Amino acid sequence: MRKKVLITGGSRGIGEAAARVLAGEGYDLFLVCRNSEEKIKRLADELEQSYGICCQTAICDVSDAAQVETMLRQAGEIHVLINNAAISYVGLLTDMTLERWHQVMNTNLNSLFYLCRLVVPQMVRRREGKIINVSSVWGNVGASMEVAYSTTKGGVNSFTRALARELAPSNVQVNAVAFGVIDTDMNVCFSKEDMEALREEIPADRIGTAMEAGEMIRQIINAPSYMTGQIITMDGGWM
């Protein structure tokens, strides 16, 4: 029986890239997104035809605990959980509404709790499982004008370390990747000039690609089981 990977935010960006890389590895997939139903179904059909795997999809707002519970009943056994779904807010903290603050917190951080508390028991029962949380360099150092996003990613890092210690005796590994600037739709709020200025700050002299991010996630999944509780930074030498 092939192992199944659940990816949140699976219709685009890093989530889509991870799906493509892992389909090539022979994993069955369960791809989750909030509202891009047509796009995620097209991706699933493409991956099934190209790699001969089973690729299920679900529309779910991972910021909603009840929706997550319903979705996971559909998903069944999960061997690898990739918590990738995230949203951002760029602007002054004092201009941010309470509603937007809670939306960022629920999507980026609370969703990890909603998913892990239901997936972890089956991993513990099998004494096998991998959880990979997609973080950011802003979770390590913080970013001006992105206080909420930075706060959630710092929380993701702490969540990762703590849960890894909790699950290590059960042979379940929990790690995170703190990505730098990756070429995804999350950057559409920045101008061409802003992105060029960012590029000039990066020693590698370029923006990372989503497929590179997906490949890093694959490598973490395939890492020795002794690697757990790590926040791996991939940012072209930026931070």
Side-chain angles (χ1 to χ4, degrees):
M1 184 184 73
R2 286 192 297 259
K3 293 183 178 180
K4 186 188 296 183
V5 181
L6 188 154
I7 306 174
T8 68
S11 67
R12 60 178 185 167
I14 292 173
E16 177 185 350
R20 292 183 180 280
V21 170
L22 295 175
E25 289 273 294
Y27 286 96
D28 285 338
L29 301 173
F30 193 96
L31 305 181
V32 180
C33 71
R34 185 172 58 181
N35 48 33
S36 302
E37 184 171 12
E38 184 177 340
K39 184 175 182 180
I40 204 168
K41 285 185 175 179
R42 281 202 310 270
L43 174 61
D45 289 343
E46 177 190 343
L47 296 178
E48 286 188 334
Q49 292 173 18
S50 298
Y51 298 102
I53 61 156
C54 175
C55 187
Q56 300 167 273
T57 64
I59 301 301
C60 174
D61 181 353
V62 295
S63 72
D64 184 314
Q67 288 191 40
V68 169
E69 187 168 352
T70 299
M71 176 270 291
L72 286 174
R73 283 198 295 268
Q74 177 187 347
E77 289 287 303
I78 299 299
H79 301 85
V80 180
L81 171 61
I82 302 174
N83 288 306
N84 168 68
I87 59 175
S88 184
Y89 173 88
V90 179
L92 293 171
L93 178 69
T94 50
D95 291 338
M96 193 174 191
T97 65
L98 287 173
E99 180 183 15
R100 186 61 172 168
W101 173 270
H102 288 301
Q103 186 180 24
V104 173
M105 293 295 145
N106 287 335
T107 302
N108 297 7
L109 184 55
N110 289 349
S111 63
L112 272 64
F113 167 64
Y114 301 153
L115 282 133
C116 288
R117 75 187 183 98
L118 298 175
V119 172
V120 161
Q122 57 176 267
M123 292 182 171
V124 170
R125 184 183 70 250
R126 291 193 307 264
R127 295 191 59 80
E128 179 186 25
K130 306 269 187 177
I131 299 171
I132 295 97
N133 299 319
V134 174
S135 187
S136 165
V137 292
W138 295 146
N140 299 338
V141 300
S144 173
M145 306 288 284
E146 293 191 64
V147 173
Y149 182 79
S150 300
T151 299
T152 60
K153 293 306 183 179
V156 166
N157 292 350
S158 293
F159 183 99
T160 298
R161 294 187 185 99
L163 187 61
R165 294 173 72 91
E166 191 170 309
L167 297 182
S170 299
N171 192 38
V172 176
Q173 293 78 48
V174 188
N175 294 288
V177 193
F179 288 113
V181 186
I182 304 295
D183 185 17
T184 69
D185 291 347
M186 189 172 280
N187 298 320
V188 296
C189 60
F190 298 110
S191 68
K192 183 178 179 181
E193 291 75 19
D194 289 337
M195 293 302 293
E196 179 62 20
L198 275 175
R199 183 196 62 76
E200 290 176 354
E201 294 179 7
I202 299 170
D205 197 34
R206 66 180 179 85
I207 305 299
T209 70
M211 287 303 289
E212 286 176 312
E215 175 62 23
M216 175 55 75
I217 290 170
R218 181 193 70 80
Q219 291 187 37
I220 294 171
I221 292 171
N222 291 333
S225 62
Y226 201 60
M227 190 181 87
T228 191
Q230 302 306 301
I231 314 300
I232 299 154
T233 298
M234 177 178 162
D235 65 359
W238 186 27
M239 292 292 169

